[in-house]
Amino acid sequence: VQLQASGGGLVEAGGSLRLSCATSGRTGTSYAMGWFRQAPGKEREFVAAISWFGSASHYADAVKDRFTISRGNAKNTVYLQMNSLKPEDTAVYYCAADPTLRHDTVVVNASEYDYWGQGTQVTVSS
């Protein structure tokens, strides 16, 4: 399974970006998906997660009410809409996929994800 993340860039504080993560390589498998981020000198941290059905989601407190995670109709693409960006949101953002039969479950622990994308840089200037 391959994950391709895109959509990062440089934006001013208060601006918006939308990240995308497309999965490919294995069909017929359901995945819970998540976004994580890692800032320089810091550990990777959870940002948001969504269930296979898209009916359940969960957010880190730091991004709640500013970020929205969603899935495309084909379920093989996940988006992260980021609004009201702050300089502290600056990081490399990674998407991850967890093969699961639990279609309404979100996964927030990085250790439970089997597949990871390459990361996309988000830089928010003050």
Side-chain angles (χ1 to χ4, degrees):
V1 176
Q2 292 80 45
L3 280 69
Q4 182 68 44
S6 61
L10 173 64
V11 65
E12 292 184 350
S16 298
L17 284 174
R18 189 175 84 152
L19 305 184
S20 300
C21 177
T23 61
S24 63
R26 179 187 288 183
T27 59
T29 302
S30 56
Y31 299 98
M33 301 287 293
W35 287 97
F36 292 77
R37 67 187 182 185
Q38 187 166 19
K42 295 187 177 181
E43 295 185 354
R44 188 173 299 189
E45 64 176 0
F46 169 76
V47 175
I50 191 167
S51 62
W52 168 248
F53 280 158
S55 54
S57 60
H58 187 72
Y59 298 90
D61 288 343
V63 306
K64 199 172 295 182
D65 299 325
R66 298 189 297 121
F67 291 10
T68 302
I69 189 171
S70 61
R71 302 191 80 119
N73 289 336
K75 293 187 172 57
N76 61 346
T77 302
V78 174
Y79 304 98
L80 185 68
Q81 178 66 42
M82 305 186 296
N83 298 329
S84 302
L85 282 162
K86 304 176 181 180
E88 50 263 45
D89 294 319
T90 295
V92 177
Y93 283 70
Y94 299 89
C95 59
D98 171 35
T100 179
L101 297 177
R102 301 172 298 175
H103 293 173
D104 285 331
T105 299
V106 297
V107 179
V108 300
N109 293 320
S111 60
E112 295 187 46
Y113 284 94
D114 289 349
Y115 304 104
W116 291 83
Q118 84 287 2
T120 184
Q121 176 71 46
V122 172
T123 303
V124 184
S125 63
S126 57

